[in-house]
Amino acid sequence: MSGHVLVINAGSSSLKYSLVDAKTGEAAATGLVERIGEEQSHHVHHGPSGSYDDEQAVADHEAALEAAVQAFETHGPALGDVDIVAVGHRVVHGGDRFAAPALVDDELIAAVTELVPLAPLHNPANLEGIEVARRLLPDLPHVAVFDTAFHQTLPPYAYTYAVPTAWQEEYGIRRYGFHGTSHSFVSGQAAALLGRSVEDVNLIVLHLGNGCSATAVRGGRSVDTSMGLTPLEGLVMGTRSGDLDPAIHGLLARVAGRSAEETDRALNSESGLKGLTGVNDFREVSRRRAAGDERAQLAFDVYCYRLKKYIGAYYAVLGTVDAIVFTAGVGQHSAEVRAAAVSGLEGLGIHLDPARNADPTDNIASTDDSPVAVLVIPTNEEWEIARQALDVVGG
Ligand code: AMP
C-alpha cells in the first residue's frame, strides 16, 4: 500500500481516525473513541477483518490514540505494514494566518494556541490530538488542515463586519467561515460531475449536517460563506440558531439576567431544530412533521426558508450559477428539504426533477434542461484532509 494518511479529528471528548489512501480516498480502516474521560468510553474500529467494539474507560486523548494504535495492531491493518506518508489533523480555526494546510511544528502549535479565544471549544481539543499524535508517532510528518482555510479567499467586503474597526484589529472579529474541507471537496466533485474544470464553474454549496453552512464558490474559490467569526452564524442547524439579531444578547442580559456565557451556550447547544422542537436529529423532526406535529412543521419551514434566502443571496453574489450542491446528512438524504429550498426558484433557472430528487442515484436532482443543475454529492472530509496532507509532504 502506498500514499496513506492517518487522518485524526480530535474533539473535546472524542477521537475519530481514518487511514485513507490519499490517491483513491479508500479507507483501509476507520475508528472512533467516544466519551473520553468518562467511566465508560466507547471504541469502535472498522478494519479489513471486520468491526471491533470496546466499552472500557479511556482516560484521555493519549489513551484514546494508544487504543487506536493497538486496534490497528490487533485488528489491522498493522500500521507498520502500511506506507503512511503523513498524519493529517483537522483543525477548526486557523484564523487569518492559515490559508492552506501546513506542516505541524512548534511555531504552528503556538499560532493555533493563540487562536483558542476564537474557537474555545474546538482548537484546544485539536491541539491535544496533535500533541498526543506527535508523541506517539514521532517519525511521521504531521500536517494541520484548517476548516477556515478554504474561505481565506473571501474579499474584505464579504468578511468585514460593520463594527468599530478596532474590534477586528484587536480581537480578530471578522468572518472566517468553516466546513472548508467539505466545501472544497464537494466543489471539486461537482465540477467533475458537470464535466468542467473547477476554475470554470460557479457553485452554491450547501453543507447540511448537524452543523450547516452555505458557500458561494466562484471558480473553485470561496467568495462568501454563511458561518462567521464562529460556526454559530448563518443557517439553522441541529442545535445552533444561525443568524439572529445581535440585540438578543443584551435583551436577555437586561430582562432575564442571563450572562454572556449562558446565552452563548443556549444559542450553540439549545437552539436551532432542538430549540424549536426539542430534538436536534433531522430524521426525528421529519418523522414528527409527517405525523402532523405543528412545531416540527414550523421548524422545517424556518430551516428551509433560511436556506432559500441564502440561495438567493449567493445567486446575487455569483451573478451566474452552474449548480446548487447539497451535501452532508440532511443535504444528501432529505429530498423534502431540497425540494422546499428551491421551490419557486424556476425563475432563477432552477428546475428540480421530482423523481430524480426522490432518488438521486446519479447525483443529479434537476431536469436535463435546467440551466442550474441541482446536485446531491456525498462529502468526504477525511479524503480531502488526506489529499491536502499529501500535498504538503510532497506526494
Ligand atoms: P452529519 O453531521 O453530516 O452526520 O448529518 C447529521 C444530520 O443528518 C442529522 O440531523 C441527521 O438526522 C441527518 N440525517 C441523516 N440521515 C438522514 C436521512 N436519511 N434523512 C434526513 N436526515 C438525515
Side-chain angles (χ1 to χ4, degrees):
M1 289 197 258
S2 66
H4 279 74
V5 173
L6 179 62
V7 175
I8 293 182
N9 181 355
S12 57
S13 64
S14 67
L15 187 129
K16 202 171 159 192
Y17 59 89
S18 189
L19 184 60
V20 182
D21 182 327
K23 294 263 157 56
T24 65
E26 200 178 314
T30 61
L32 171 67
V33 186
E34 288 175 292
R35 303 197 293 274
I36 295 172
E38 292 184 25
E39 263 175 37
Q40 204 177 40
S41 310
H42 180 231
H43 181 187
V44 60
H45 179 93
H46 307 284
S49 55
S51 296
Y52 150 85
D53 236 306
D54 192 19
E55 293 275 336
Q56 282 176 35
V58 175
D60 51 26
H61 284 79
E62 179 135 22
L65 191 57
E66 277 169 2
V69 170
Q70 187 57 48
F72 276 109
E73 290 312 308
T74 317
H75 305 281
L79 293 179
D81 295 346
V82 184
D83 177 21
I84 302 181
V85 295
V87 182
H89 295 270
R90 175 185 184 218
V91 179
V92 167
H93 217 308
D96 55 11
R97 291 189 212 172
F98 297 99
L103 209 56
V104 173
D105 55 16
D106 293 342
E107 204 181 312
L108 178 138
I109 289 185
V112 175
T113 305
E114 271 182 42
L115 293 164
V116 165
L118 293 179
L121 299 177
H122 296 103
N123 274 24
N126 302 156
L127 279 166
E128 176 82 20
I130 290 176
E131 305 228 346
V132 162
R134 281 178 102 200
R135 273 203 300 280
L136 291 180
L137 304 164
D139 299 330
L140 289 170
H142 291 252
V143 177
V145 177
F146 299 92
D147 271 17
T148 46
F150 183 60
H151 304 298
Q152 280 296 299
T153 47
L154 258 60
Y157 53 79
Y159 71 66
T160 303
Y161 290 121
V163 295
T165 309
W167 292 6
Q168 183 174 342
E169 287 157 8
E170 287 174 30
Y171 311 116
I173 291 177
R174 49 157 281 184
R175 174 182 310 285
Y176 294 99
F178 298 87
H179 287 149
T181 47
S182 177
H183 287 291
S184 163
F185 177 82
V186 168
S187 298
Q189 297 289 109
L193 198 68
L194 296 171
R196 315 252 300 267
S197 137
V198 76
E199 287 78 26
D200 294 336
V201 292
N202 287 352
L203 306 167
I204 297 173
V205 182
L206 304 168
H207 176 113
L208 310 177
N210 274 320
C212 301
S213 63
T215 296
V217 184
R218 176 180 288 131
R221 292 159 68 86
S222 170
V223 293
D224 204 352
T225 193
S226 60
M227 283 178 167
L229 172 75
T230 75
L232 180 59
E233 193 179 349
L235 300 174
V236 177
M237 315 186 204
T239 62
R240 289 173 241 162
S241 62
D243 294 335
L244 35 75
D245 186 334
I248 289 173
H249 255 278
L251 179 120
L252 285 172
R254 286 192 306 278
V255 304
R258 294 181 71 129
S259 69
E261 288 73 23
E262 283 172 320
T263 303
D264 263 355
R265 204 176 315 116
L267 295 175
N268 277 289
S269 311
E270 303 295 330
S271 299
L273 295 174
K274 187 172 181 196
L276 294 172
T277 65
V279 291
N280 64 304
D281 191 304
F282 197 88
R283 280 165 295 197
E284 178 59 17
V285 176
S286 248
R287 200 189 58 72
R288 292 186 188 182
R289 172 174 173 255
D293 182 326
E294 282 178 17
R295 279 155 48 111
Q297 180 64 52
L298 178 63
F300 179 89
D301 291 342
V302 172
Y303 185 100
C304 295
Y305 179 64
R306 184 85 51 89
L307 257 178
K308 186 184 283 187
K309 287 207 291 187
Y310 270 93
I311 291 171
Y314 288 171
Y315 206 118
V317 164
L318 292 168
T320 60
V321 176
D322 297 289
I324 296 171
V325 192
F326 287 87
T327 193
V330 178
Q332 222 179 298
H333 298 294
S334 178
E336 52 191 359
V337 165
R338 294 191 296 267
V342 303
S343 73
L345 301 187
E346 292 79 9
L348 297 180
I350 305 167
H351 298 271
L352 206 65
D353 179 317
R356 283 180 176 173
N357 184 44
D359 182 23
T361 37
D362 61 357
N363 305 101
I364 299 173
S366 45
T367 59
D368 282 337
D369 58 359
S370 180
V372 179
V374 179
L375 307 179
V376 182
I377 297 182
T379 191
N380 191 336
E381 288 167 283
E382 286 76 19
W383 187 10
E384 181 67 21
I385 291 173
R387 286 207 294 217
Q388 294 193 18
L390 186 66
D391 276 353
V392 169
V393 299

